Every structure is written in structure tokens, then in C-alpha cells.
Amino acid sequence: MISLRTSLAAMAIATAAVMASPLTAQAAESGTAGNGVVASVAAASVPPSADLYGCTYKIITGSGGHQGSAITCKGSSAESFVGWVKCRDVSGNIYESVGPQTWANNASTAWCALGYRVIGSYYYAV
């Protein structure tokens, strides 16, 4: 499990990812070994959730060989979040995939299509 920490570089990347979103978003950009950092990036109208903390992600491989990220956040039982990933193939094509909404202290797992790798793991409070 990799702990997610604040980074100015991740903040810049995450800001671009959330410009159109009205939700609070946090991001973890992963390297080739699955190492990552997190930045809390809030849209102007929605403050970040104080009840979600200690978010981590783990890059996983499915039975068919597809890659995903299990994102877990600690918090109160009344808090929920959605995990999502940014995926890239060898040609450089990039897309995003959203995991299910889940309660704090559980994992939201988002999957990439076969042949794509996770290049970013993200979550936002709902």
C-alpha cells in the first residue's frame, strides 16, 4: 500500500484534471513502480472533505491481465468517495475509468482496459 502525500507537481497535474469538475478531487500520479503522491485540489465552490484522510492506493493486476488501482480512504462512516484512474497504452492513448462509489475505510477499485497501464490514481469525496 502506498501512502498519498501532497506534492506541487501532482497539484499542477490534478488541477488540469479537475478544471471542469464541480467536485473536490485529490490525485495520485503513479510512476512505473506504482509510487505516488497526492494533492488536494478543490474546485472553487466545494471545500475539501475534512472527514476523509490517509488515502492510499495500490496498483493491482486482474485475472485477465488488466491493470487497476484500489483506492482506500480513512474517515467517518458518513463519508463516501469515488476512485478513478488515468490509463495509457503503449501508443500514448490516454483515457479515464471510474470505480464505484464506496464508504470511507473501503476500497474503490477502478480498472484500465487490457493493454493499458495506470498512470494516475485519483479520488473525490461525494
Side-chain angles (χ1 to χ4, degrees), residues 65-92:
H66 51 287
Q67 197 174 66
S69 183
I71 299 130
T72 304
C73 291
K74 296 177 184 175
S76 76
S77 60
E79 290 294 314
S80 66
F81 69 97
V82 171
W84 54 285
V85 291
K86 189 182 294 184
C87 307
R88 180 175 50 211
D89 69 3
V90 294
S91 300

Side-chain angles (χ1 to χ4, degrees), residues 77-114:
S77 60
E79 290 294 314
S80 66
F81 69 97
V82 171
W84 54 285
V85 291
K86 189 182 294 184
C87 307
R88 180 175 50 211
D89 69 3
V90 294
S91 300
N93 299 310
I94 296 175
Y95 80 100
E96 295 171 356
S97 177
V98 179
Q101 179 177 346
T102 190
W103 297 107
N105 306 310
N106 292 291
S108 176
T109 303
W111 295 97
C112 293
L114 192 59

Side-chain angles (χ1 to χ4, degrees), residues 58-70:
K58 182 178 181 180
I59 303 299
I60 55 178
T61 302
S63 60
H66 51 287
Q67 197 174 66
S69 183

Side-chain angles (χ1 to χ4, degrees), residues 18-26 40-50 52 79-80 123-126:
V18 234
M19 290 301 288
S21 174
L23 300 173
T24 300
Q26 289 78 21
S40 177
V41 181
S45 61
V46 181
S49 170
L52 287 175
E79 290 294 314
S80 66
Y123 71 96
Y124 59 87
V126 289

